[in-house]
Amino acid sequence: MPTIELRDVVVDVPTPGSDTPRRLLGPVELTLSEQRISVIGANGSGKSTLLRLVNGLVQPSRGHVRVDGLDTVRQGPAVRQRVAFAFTDPLSQLVMPTGREDVELSLRRRHRRADERRAAAEAVLARFGLDGLSDQSVYDLSGGERQLMALAAVLATDPEVLVLDEPSTLLDLRNTRVLRERLTALPQMVVLATHDLGLARDADRTLVVEAGRVVFDGPPSVAVDEYVRRSGG
Amino acid sequence: MSRGDGLFGSYVQGTSVVHRAPLAAKFVALLAVGVATTLLPSWWTGCLLLALVVGTHALAGLGLGRLLRTMRPVLPVLVVLFAFQWWSQDAAMAARLVLGILACYIAAGVVTGTTSPSALIDAVVGAARPLRRWLDPEAVGIAVAVMFRSIPWIADAFGEVREAARARGLERNPRALVLPVVIHTVGYARATGEALAARGLGDPVEGPQDAPAGGSRPGGPGAPSTNDGAPG
Ligand SMILES: Nc1ncnc2c1ncn2[C@@H]1O[C@H](COP(=O)(O)OP(=O)(O)OP(=O)(O)O)[C@@H](O)[C@H]1O
Ligand SMILES: [Mg+2]
């Protein structure tokens, strides 16, 4: 598995009308190399900020984030080739009108020729069992189909790490189960944030985030208990 | 759901002559329709031009339903325009103008309806290549495709906001209409930009395919991988 390192990482944002910045996250010190990692915590605790650091969508105000030794700030493009990121809402992720077009968009860098790209996209869609839906408007897909299509689009380039921000939030029970099965089958390293404690338990290691700090780091079942306890449950 | 259904962004798969025509030819034809509308000598030549364009629409197999759907949003504008021109000029002049606009509009719909977004990006990337010292052609191509996709989205956002305003009895208040649309649109633009950035689609394209196609990686920590700011 690849290694994700966060060294003394802090994320600050300027506060309007004040000189002291607001701290969203940190300081955080982490080395992640397990295949399945989940991040749980209350709304606004800093989960998304932590995930966004991993592929350079958010840059640390202090410290370094590295993926396989590549710095997310200085070597951002190389990091993004290795780290795919999927958002909660697949519609903000799918930027093309159909799944096929979106997968082809992902493959533009790899295949310059249109016919090669098309063939490669077909292969990816078939691999995810989505070939029957590839020409349907993304607006006409069900929520679950859309989420799987968005995953196929970001996985098309064979990244080494997949980062997911609340992938099951918009899904019903059945589609959540399908998603969990698909994720379990992935050979990649997966880092996900979730409010779904069942999904969180699928991991090898779980981080509990509270007010911008990692307050627990360990086995999922213990982490979930700790989170429930801290939430007054 | 009607999102994405409209003049732009609604590519319809097909194998018609129009689908197979090179994009450059379609652009020239579109331009020709535009020029022709300014040269129309009479209202019935306007009818002729419109018939030609509608015929092409049919030839492309785009269907009557799509034609009516794409025309619906512009019809009220055209009716007002016609009435105004009739009142200020005369009926023949008004008809010529409105028919010309309609012909251009439908012709544009034929181009977007028969050109896949990928083909569009490829064409734009090709056209932007001479400018590559200043602009990344890939980025220009993706920007154009995203723009095409965004137009129906914004139009639909307007429809949704109008419904929400009507539900609150505010449909006559322009602020209750415009402000939410702007906020929606900014949010949408941010989300789209972020999604593109997360996929590395905004990153400079590396040199002649030195990127590893999965599998092996060029060195470990400290490998001299200076991708930043060196686009060819
Ligand atoms: N760009 C930004 N500017 C200012 N504040 C921000 C920014 N991004 C996030 N925040 C704030 O940082 C805090 C942490 O946000 P984050 O999105 O990481 O939380 P989260 O744990 O993902 O929450 P949720 O479960 O609701 O998704 C929140 O209080 C949020 O308002
Ligand atoms: Mg979040």
Side-chain angles (χ1 to χ4, degrees):
Chain A
M1 285 296 121
T3 307
I4 301 169
E5 299 166 276
L6 284 80
R7 294 280 160 266
D8 188 33
V9 169
V10 162
V11 178
D12 288 335
V13 288
T15 322
S18 162
D19 286 342
T20 45
R22 181 168 160 227
R23 180 145 300 177
L24 302 187
L25 193 79
V28 176
E29 186 79 22
L30 281 172
T31 304
L32 307 171
S33 55
E34 289 76 9
Q35 196 187 0
R36 297 285 179 263
I37 293 165
S38 59
V39 181
I40 53 178
N43 287 134
S45 54
K47 301 181 296 297
S48 299
T49 308
L50 179 63
L51 294 190
R52 279 154 192 258
L53 281 165
V54 177
N55 82 335
L57 270 182
V58 167
Q59 301 194 341
S61 316
R62 192 181 89 198
H64 299 280
V65 180
R66 294 197 187 89
V67 178
D68 271 344
L70 296 166
D71 189 283
T72 56
V73 178
R74 284 185 299 113
Q75 289 149 318
V79 168
R80 282 183 282 276
Q81 279 184 12
R82 289 164 175 75
V83 183
F85 196 105
F87 297 85
T88 307
D89 182 2
L91 276 184
S92 66
Q93 167 119 23
L94 294 163
V95 291
M96 289 287 132
T98 66
R100 180 200 301 279
E101 294 284 346
D102 210 78
V103 172
E104 284 191 24
L105 181 69
S106 290
L107 294 169
R108 286 192 71 80
R109 292 285 161 93
R110 185 165 300 179
H111 301 284
R112 291 297 165 84
R113 290 184 41 154
D115 49 347
E116 283 177 22
R117 204 156 59 217
R118 175 142 284 231
E122 305 260 340
V124 169
L125 288 159
R127 177 148 59 93
F128 287 88
L130 294 165
D131 30 355
L133 301 169
S134 52
D135 291 319
Q136 205 161 313
S137 160
V138 294
Y139 293 103
D140 295 335
L141 298 173
S142 79
E145 291 165 349
R146 250 184 231 158
Q147 189 61 272
L148 294 178
M149 194 62 88
L151 280 183
V154 295
L155 288 172
T157 54
D158 292 321
E160 295 169 28
V161 184
L162 174 63
V163 180
L164 300 152
D165 196 355
E166 296 191 34
S168 65
T169 299
L170 301 175
L171 303 183
D172 64 15
L173 285 176
R174 196 181 64 84
N175 280 312
T176 301
R177 200 174 60 232
V178 173
L179 178 78
R180 279 171 75 168
E181 283 163 9
R182 292 293 166 91
L183 292 181
T184 309
L186 289 179
Q188 277 97 348
M189 178 178 188
V190 175
V191 183
L192 61 84
T194 186
H195 293 291
D196 175 346
L197 299 181
L199 183 57
R201 280 203 181 88
D202 286 346
D204 303 314
R205 175 177 174 185
T206 301
L207 312 174
V208 181
V209 182
E210 190 179 286
R213 306 291 302 266
V214 177
V215 293
F216 185 89
D217 177 357
S221 51
V222 188
V224 168
D225 290 346
E226 175 70 14
Y227 171 50
V228 172
R229 192 182 62 73
R230 281 175 177 267
S231 311
Chain B
M1 288 277 269
S2 70
R3 282 226 158 165
D5 225 30
L7 167 60
F8 297 104
S10 52
Y11 165 61
V12 180
Q13 276 209 328
T15 53
S16 74
V17 199
V18 191
H19 279 86
R20 281 178 286 129
L23 187 55
K26 288 188 233 181
F27 267 126
V28 170
L30 182 59
L31 203 67
V33 172
V35 172
T37 56
T38 64
L39 303 173
L40 291 176
S42 62
W43 68 268
W44 61 266
T45 45
C47 286
L48 224 58
L49 184 68
L50 185 63
L52 191 74
V53 171
V54 171
T56 314
H57 194 279
L59 185 67
L62 294 175
L64 192 64
R66 181 184 190 274
L67 183 65
L68 297 177
R69 242 184 355 262
T70 58
M71 268 163 46
R72 199 163 42 201
V74 285
L75 281 180
V77 180
L78 292 180
V79 168
V80 173
L81 196 65
F82 182 83
F84 178 77
Q85 288 293 328
W86 191 2
W87 169 74
S88 65
Q89 311 265 334
D90 60 274
M93 159 81 198
R96 224 169 62 201
L97 184 78
V98 167
L99 290 169
I101 293 175
L102 208 52
C104 284
Y105 190 77
I106 296 170
V110 172
V111 174
T112 56
T114 58
T115 309
S116 77
S118 308
L120 182 72
I121 298 178
D122 283 338
V124 175
V125 169
R129 198 153 286 144
L131 305 174
R132 67 179 168 276
R133 282 183 54 193
W134 302 281
L135 289 169
D136 174 6
E138 279 287 320
V140 178
I142 292 170
V144 170
V146 168
M147 185 187 80
F148 270 71
R149 180 223 187 218
S150 305
I151 292 167
W153 192 94
I154 293 166
D156 288 340
F158 210 88
E160 275 175 23
V161 164
R162 199 166 51 196
E163 260 171 43
R166 191 174 297 146
R168 293 157 58 202
L170 292 173
E171 72 266 36
R172 282 181 204 286
N173 180 345
R175 276 192 56 181
L177 292 176
V178 174
L179 212 58
V181 171
V182 171
I183 291 168
H184 266 59
T185 305
V186 170
Y188 170 78
R190 276 191 64 158
T192 305
E194 206 166 38
L196 292 171
R199 287 163 78 173
L201 290 168
D203 294 332
V205 181
E206 287 165 54
Q209 296 296 297
D210 56 354
S216 67
R217 250 168 279 132
S225 162
T226 48
N227 293 312
D228 302 53

